[in-house]
Amino acid sequence: MARHRKSRDRRGLPRAAHGGLAVLVALLLTATIMIGIVRVRHGLATGGHSAAEPAEPPPALPAHVGAYTSKVRLPGEKSSHDLVVYRPNVPDSSRLPVVYFLHGVPGDPKSLVDDGLLDEVKKYLAKGGQPFVLAVPDGNGDHHDDTEWADAADGSDMVESRLLKAVIPAVEGDRPRDAAHRAIAGFSMGGFGALNLGLRHPDLFGQVVSLAGYYGVDDPDHMFAGREDLEAANSPDRHLDAARQVRIFMAVGQDDGNPVVEGSSQQFKKILDAAHVPATLQVLPGEHDWDFVTRALPAGFDFLRQGWAQNGAASGR
């Protein structure tokens, strides 16, 4: 039936019109094909819907260059917490390393900035150091001052969870880093927190820098409520298998008389040596203060640079 109708339609046209229609149809088909080709080519050039679309946005300069302060919070937290970020003037991508630097107690992100942490990073970069993003989160709680950068047994302060679930996404956004391009560092309580969290989460942090840290649980504010299971879970010497997956740098002042810190780095280094876990320990002139930190930071940054260089060589960069 369709063919009969089609034949009858054709017979209703004069011969000349029939020929002209054929030409018109051919031209329309050619134009459609060419438009299709242009669209496909346009799609490939801009990313379009091509199967070869990159897994992340192309590198681009960050919206903020230099230092800025934002706020982060976990659902259920009473208040938001400061997060200081310093971004170098280079394109941001998942290959640009991020260093999370943890403060001691008493302390907060502002105190580290006032002490000169950002100045030390700028000096390092000005000398041609490997660019990286610096993130300084807040380790204080609503109910505990000395949080050990951990989650409280009763859930009242979730400092570890805040770092992992709120701070890291806020810093890295749609360009998340792998462990090889994410490091954690800190001073004093922050040094403990850096090593503890680094070994608890070797899938997240590939390198640790602990300055004047300590390596046993010190819990005067009862974050762990005396629970042996939580204290064991937050004891770096219980995570030696994980330590084999992380590059570790420790530094301590030779005149550091802090009762929690004194001798702790040397003792932990012996534990690592006995377990055949590679680690670097430097005992430098200084006490338990920021002067020691400024003396130790260049060596810590250089340690991180070496690790990033190894990762870059391994990935063919």
Side-chain angles (χ1 to χ4, degrees), residues 217-234:
V217 170
D218 177 60
D219 190 19
D221 278 6
H222 308 291
M223 285 288 288
F224 306 128
R227 286 177 47 179
E228 292 184 2
D229 60 329
L230 293 181
E231 291 185 358
N234 289 275

Side-chain angles (χ1 to χ4, degrees), residues 36 129 165:
K165 298 179 181 179

Side-chain angles (χ1 to χ4, degrees), residues 279-298:
T280 298
L281 170 62
Q282 291 190 7
V283 180
L284 304 172
E287 302 178 2
H288 196 79
D289 54 25
W290 194 254
D291 287 340
F292 159 75
V293 176
T294 58
R295 191 174 296 114
L297 276 174

Side-chain angles (χ1 to χ4, degrees), residues 76-270:
E77 283 193 301
K78 289 184 178 180
S79 57
S80 58
H81 295 263
D82 284 346
L83 168 64
V84 174
V85 180
Y86 178 83
R87 296 188 182 276
N89 191 21
V90 298
D92 189 37
S93 76
S94 63
R95 310 296 292 179
L96 178 65
V98 178
V99 178
Y100 294 87
F101 199 100
L102 314 184
H103 62 75
V105 61
D108 54 37
K110 183 178 183 300
S111 66
L112 289 187
V113 173
D114 291 343
D115 284 338
L117 177 59
L118 297 187
D119 293 335
E120 295 303 315
V121 172
K122 293 175 185 177
K123 290 178 186 177
Y124 167 77
L125 296 179
K127 293 179 180 178
Q130 164 70 52
F132 62 86
V133 176
L134 176 73
V136 188
D138 186 2
N140 292 295
D142 294 326
H143 301 88
H144 302 80
D145 293 325
D146 191 334
T147 65
E148 301 297 290
W149 287 92
D151 287 346
D154 62 2
S156 59
D157 285 314
M158 305 295 286
V159 180
E160 175 182 349
S161 294
R162 186 197 307 149
L163 173 64
L164 303 184
K165 298 179 181 179
V167 171
I168 291 179
V171 174
E172 300 178 14
D174 58 357
R175 294 176 172 86
R177 275 58 170 178
D178 57 14
H181 295 84
R182 186 186 295 126
I184 188 166
F187 168 59
S188 194
M189 182 188 76
F192 166 81
L195 190 60
N196 186 43
L197 294 176
L199 299 193
R200 281 171 58 80
H201 304 283
D203 57 323
L204 297 180
F205 303 102
Q207 301 192 85
V208 172
V209 171
S210 178
L211 307 180
Y214 51 91
Y215 308 101
V217 170
D218 177 60
D219 190 19
D221 278 6
H222 308 291
M223 285 288 288
F224 306 128
R227 286 177 47 179
E228 292 184 2
D229 60 329
L230 293 181
E231 291 185 358
N234 289 275
S235 297
D237 60 358
R238 303 290 186 94
H239 301 286
L240 297 182
D241 286 340
R244 293 185 174 87
Q245 306 173 47
V246 180
R247 296 184 75 246
I248 299 172
F249 175 91
M250 298 179 291
V252 66
Q254 61 186 17
D255 297 316
D256 193 323
N258 184 292
V260 178
V261 173
E262 188 175 14
S264 187
S265 298
Q266 293 87 335
Q267 181 182 4
F268 190 64
K269 181 63 165 64
K270 291 179 180 179

